[in-house]
Amino acid sequence: CIKLAVYGKGGIGKSTTSCNISVSLARRGKKVLQIGCDPKHDSTFTLTGFLIPTIIDTLQEKDYHYENVWPEDVIYKGYGGVDCVEAGGPPAGAGCGGYVVGETVKLLKELNAFYEYDVILFDVLGDVVCGGFAAPLNYADYCMIITDNGFDALFAANRIGASVREKSRTHPLRLAGLIGNRTSKRDLIDKFV
């Protein structure tokens, strides 16, 4: 199983790109799971057509009794046969997104769902602003950074790259590369690379 983490500045097109990658891989015969790692839980909306219930909400409903949660409670079939999960997250200003990602992976492992895919794609909230939102890098084999040709997006890409470098000291993680989105120019992207 290949595990990919998709990062980039907020609003750069991570979820749209993640959905396109997921569907493209599914069309090539891969069994794909896309995990949305944003409290807004809208990563998979394009694939499912609705905001699916989050893992954290489902766990709260079940009083955190993992044994009462079934795959169909948290995994939804999306466009092109892509399976979809939304981790969810704490309310703004409370809790830790990394904890929620960890609980999501823990539950998927308990359900034996984490191991049945060819590709697992984590679509992660914006920039790596804390260790919590860097948590998907603990599970990923590769990180892809979505950027444009502007300063803000490349500044975020630099921070994400630094996080990948840091995590790669203790985990076999590699930077797969940058995906230029919403830009016809590449001069700053090329300088950055």
Side-chain angles (χ1 to χ4, degrees):
C1 173
I2 294 175
K3 292 177 257 349
L4 308 169
V6 178
Y7 282 86
K9 176 182 136 341
I12 201 71
K14 292 177 301 298
S15 294
T16 301
T17 304
S18 294
C19 290
N20 286 330
I21 291 169
S22 292
V23 170
S24 294
L25 291 168
R27 285 187 174 167
R28 287 183 169 81
K30 301 297 182 193
K31 188 165 182 184
V32 180
L33 174 66
Q34 181 168 319
I35 302 174
C37 301
D38 187 329
K40 290 185 316 205
H41 69 95
D42 61 352
S43 167
T44 59
F45 182 84
T46 302
L47 298 172
T48 62
F50 66 102
L51 294 174
I52 64 176
T54 69
I55 290 223
I56 204 68
D57 290 340
T58 302
L59 284 171
Q60 284 174 338
E61 248 177 52
K62 308 276 184 172
D63 251 358
Y64 290 88
H65 289 280
Y66 285 73
E67 69 276 8
N68 294 332
V69 180
W70 301 99
E72 56 271 16
D73 293 332
V74 293
I75 301 173
Y76 290 79
K77 191 63 74 182
Y79 179 81
V82 175
D83 282 349
C84 301
V85 166
E86 289 287 350
C96 175
Y99 168 77
V100 174
V101 170
E103 289 298 303
T104 296
V105 171
K106 179 179 171 185
L107 177 63
L108 292 172
K109 285 181 176 180
E110 294 241 346
L111 296 172
N112 290 319
F114 201 69
Y115 306 106
E116 68 177 54
Y117 293 94
D118 300 313
V119 178
I120 296 175
L121 187 145
F122 294 92
D123 175 16
V124 188
L125 164 95
D127 188 358
V128 181
V129 293
C130 68
F133 287 115
L137 296 175
N138 294 329
Y139 306 103
D141 302 308
Y142 298 96
C143 176
M144 295 183 288
I145 302 171
I146 313 300
T147 189
D148 63 18
N149 202 46
F151 173 80
D152 291 342
L154 288 168
F155 182 81
N158 188 49
R159 288 172 41 103
I160 296 161
S163 295
V164 169
R165 187 171 43 254
E166 183 63 32
K167 292 283 184 183
S168 70
R169 294 177 190 193
T170 58
H171 174 75
L173 172 67
R174 297 182 58 121
L175 180 61
L178 278 67
I179 297 173
N181 192 35
R182 299 181 343 179
T183 185
S184 58
K185 292 184 177 182
R186 297 186 49 92
D187 59 318
L188 295 178
I189 295 172
D190 291 340
K191 271 187 188 176
F192 176 82
V193 174

